[in-house]
């Protein structure tokens, strides 16, 4: 992790960011990481989490359900959560 910045996070896919976040959690849970490195990787974890949240929100916004007319024909789409 030496020399890494958080600039690379924006180019990561959701899966890549989640894998990196899981590694950080594992490293922190082991408890054998020096304090200064723990702070750096925790901050990176926060950036990874925020990136994952943005990607999930974007995916949710793309998910739509098709509205049907009374005769069963598609008439448009609406957000999946709309009732």
């Amino acid at each position: 992790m030496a020399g890494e910045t958080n600039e690379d996070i924006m180019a990561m896919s959701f899966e890549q960011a989640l894998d990196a976040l899981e590694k950080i959690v594992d490293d922190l849970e082991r408890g054998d990481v020096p304090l200064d490195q723990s702070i750096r990787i925790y901050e990176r974890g926060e950036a990874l989490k925020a990136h994952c949240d943005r990607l999930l929100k974007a995916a949710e916004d793309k998910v739509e359900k098709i509205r049907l007319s009374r005769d069963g024909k598609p008439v448009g789409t609406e957000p999946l959560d709309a009732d």
Side-chain angles (χ1 to χ4, degrees), residues 5-10 12 17 21 24 40-54:
T5 66
N6 292 341
E7 294 172 8
D8 63 319
I9 292 173
M10 295 305 289
M12 290 182 176
L21 186 56
I24 286 173
R40 279 195 315 274
I41 64 175
Y42 178 84
E43 290 170 346
R44 181 167 173 83
E46 286 291 315
L48 287 162
K49 179 188 174 298
H51 182 60
C52 286
D53 287 345
R54 280 190 301 276

Side-chain angles (χ1 to χ4, degrees), residues 10-71:
M10 295 305 289
M12 290 182 176
S13 68
F14 177 80
E15 292 78 9
Q16 291 169 324
L18 190 58
D19 286 345
L21 186 56
E22 287 173 350
K23 182 179 181 336
I24 286 173
V25 170
D26 289 343
D27 289 348
L28 290 174
E29 284 180 344
R30 270 198 336 265
D32 60 354
V33 179
L35 180 60
D36 61 332
Q37 185 180 357
S38 292
I39 292 168
R40 279 195 315 274
I41 64 175
Y42 178 84
E43 290 170 346
R44 181 167 173 83
E46 286 291 315
L48 287 162
K49 179 188 174 298
H51 182 60
C52 286
D53 287 345
R54 280 190 301 276
L55 292 174
L56 280 175
K57 176 69 173 127
E60 287 172 356
D61 290 346
K62 290 180 182 178
V63 175
E64 297 176 326
K65 66 179 179 181
I66 298 172
R67 290 184 295 139
L68 302 176
S69 66
R70 289 185 169 259
D71 60 354

